[in-house]
Amino acid sequence: MILNKRKVRKISCEEAVKRLFVYIDNYLHGNAKDELEQHLEVCRDCFEKAKFQKQFKMRMRKLKVEVPTPVLKKRVERILEAI
Amino acid sequence: MLTEAERKEISSIVLPHLNRIYRFSLYLCRDRDKAEELAAESVAKACEKFKTLKDRSKVRQWLFRIVNNTFVSQYRREKFIKGFELTELSLNGKMTSPVPFRQGGISSAHPEKILINKLLDDDIKFHLRKLPEEFRSAVVLCDVEGMSYIEIAKVLEIPIGTVRSRVARGRGLLQKKLMRHAREMGFVKAVKKREKEKVCDCK
């Protein structure tokens, strides 16, 4: 298959899955990325896995934020006043 | 002795990050009181080391590194970390109560979708805190705090390859625990273990 006028090697599902995390973290580049994207275009199962991992990462970003107690805030203010 | 201007500068840099400092401390210590101690101590250390911060745009990374180093050098050694048993109260003082959901509409081919929509934040945080420390820090910094691999490598002072590996293994472990939890709660039926390498139609 030709992608952007370059020949892109076909990869297996096993290879695709190994690259998924790095891909969703925007750390996959060049041929490795092209090969994975080509695979995701034709493999429904791996496409669904990639979609799930992206959604799971977004879900983690939206976890309810823990906030410090007023006690900690006061303590930090005292530290900053004392320096 | 710092001038008033320097004191104001430190406050303006550190205070906006207090929530994040506390949140990261909480994931490290897994105990509210210890997390507050760690956060306060880290702020004090940040004030002492303020002159080592050369690039103001990297303040978050710098602060998180201080939190992590303080944790590693003091709290881990003193074994302040408390684990959570599945039967104990969750951090906010309430039992994580399973909310029954209808099972209709869940794709049997991709039951992990339940992890996105059906689990509560408390369930996810509970299991995230149960991860081994090295995986927990990596997943928290990457997925909760949204840091890049390079930033995480600087905070944890480990190579980028190690960051990749810990994030991957941490996520895998977390998702496995959450899936097991979802089955225990009855959110999803047990599914057959799929083959590790699928021969797909794409070949």
Side-chain angles (χ1 to χ4, degrees):
Chain A
M1 177 166 175
I2 308 231
L3 189 75
N4 290 337
K5 297 188 180 169
R6 277 186 298 119
K7 238 183 167 175
V8 179
R9 187 176 66 95
K10 278 190 180 180
I11 57 172
S12 66
C13 289
E14 189 183 6
E15 187 58 40
V17 164
K18 277 184 193 165
R19 298 181 192 184
L20 272 185
F21 283 151
V22 181
Y23 175 66
I24 61 157
D25 291 335
N26 297 317
Y27 225 77
L28 196 66
H29 307 292
N31 282 347
K33 184 180 176 186
D34 292 340
E35 286 162 5
L36 176 62
E37 286 182 340
Q38 176 194 261
H39 183 88
L40 296 179
E41 279 174 21
V42 299
C43 179
R44 183 76 196 170
D45 200 45
C46 289
F47 175 82
E48 288 294 326
K49 284 189 171 97
K51 189 173 149 191
F52 162 72
Q53 291 299 342
K54 278 187 185 170
Q55 288 173 339
F56 187 79
K57 187 171 172 163
M58 278 174 8
R59 178 77 170 84
M60 294 285 282
R61 281 294 270 148
K62 289 178 186 168
L63 284 179
K64 221 167 33 189
V65 176
E66 305 281 355
V67 290
T69 62
V71 170
L72 176 62
K73 286 182 184 167
K74 276 252 172 281
R75 194 171 161 184
V76 165
E77 279 164 16
R78 279 201 299 271
I79 289 169
L80 292 168
E81 279 162 21
I83 52 168
Chain B
M1 195 69 180
L2 294 170
T3 63
E4 189 57 35
E6 283 171 332
R7 196 174 288 116
K8 276 192 175 154
E9 198 193 355
I10 295 174
S11 294
S12 69
I13 282 171
V14 170
L15 279 178
H17 292 277
L18 182 59
N19 283 5
R20 285 195 195 97
I21 290 170
Y22 174 68
R23 184 166 63 193
F24 186 42
S25 302
L26 194 54
Y27 278 114
L28 288 174
C29 298
R30 300 185 292 182
D31 176 282
R32 283 196 192 284
D33 291 337
K34 295 305 166 202
E36 290 205 351
E37 288 269 345
L38 175 58
E41 230 177 286
S42 301
V43 167
K45 285 205 171 147
C47 294
E48 279 171 36
K49 294 175 186 232
F50 187 66
K51 293 200 165 119
T52 66
L53 174 61
K54 305 292 178 204
D55 183 351
R56 296 286 189 263
S57 68
K58 294 199 162 78
V59 66
R60 184 176 68 151
Q61 191 178 293
W62 176 77
L63 285 168
F64 272 53
R65 187 162 65 240
I66 291 173
V67 173
N68 191 65
N69 286 346
T70 308
F71 171 74
V72 166
S73 67
Q74 197 159 321
Y75 291 81
R76 198 204 269 166
R77 202 166 43 224
E78 292 178 9
K79 295 187 166 70
F80 271 171
I81 292 88
K82 280 186 194 173
F84 276 86
E85 299 297 328
L86 265 175
T87 54
E88 284 182 19
L89 295 177
S90 60
L91 268 182
N92 62 7
K94 295 176 193 164
M95 288 294 285
T96 305
S97 56
V99 179
F101 288 99
R102 283 180 306 150
Q103 289 183 26
I106 296 159
S107 161
S108 57
H110 297 281
E112 56 271 345
K113 285 180 182 178
I114 200 121
L115 304 188
I116 310 289
N117 300 318
K118 303 294 187 185
L119 290 180
L120 302 172
D121 273 10
D122 282 349
D123 296 323
I124 297 174
K125 287 192 281 190
F126 179 85
H127 289 284
L128 179 53
R129 287 178 188 125
K130 298 268 283 179
L131 289 180
E133 187 207 301
E134 73 239 39
F135 301 141
R136 189 167 75 241
S137 317
V139 172
V140 164
L141 291 174
C142 188
D143 292 346
V144 180
E145 298 296 336
M147 286 188 170
S148 69
Y149 286 178
I150 294 174
E151 287 175 314
I152 297 169
K154 296 236 164 89
V155 169
L156 300 180
E157 295 177 318
I158 54 177
I160 288 178
T162 309
V163 172
R164 273 173 63 161
S165 161
R166 287 188 188 180
V167 167
R169 290 175 69 187
R171 275 182 191 149
L173 244 167
L174 175 62
Q175 288 169 17
K176 212 167 159 183
K177 284 176 183 287
L178 289 173
M179 207 55 211
R180 196 182 327 143
H181 173 76
R183 283 192 202 108
E184 284 167 4
M185 293 294 124
F187 299 162
V188 67
K189 288 177 190 166
V191 292
K192 260 187 186 175
K193 199 174 173 180
R194 280 179 275 161
E195 289 169 24
K196 282 195 175 169
E197 184 169 351
K198 178 182 178 275
V199 177
C200 68
D201 299 333
C202 55
K203 292 232 166 164

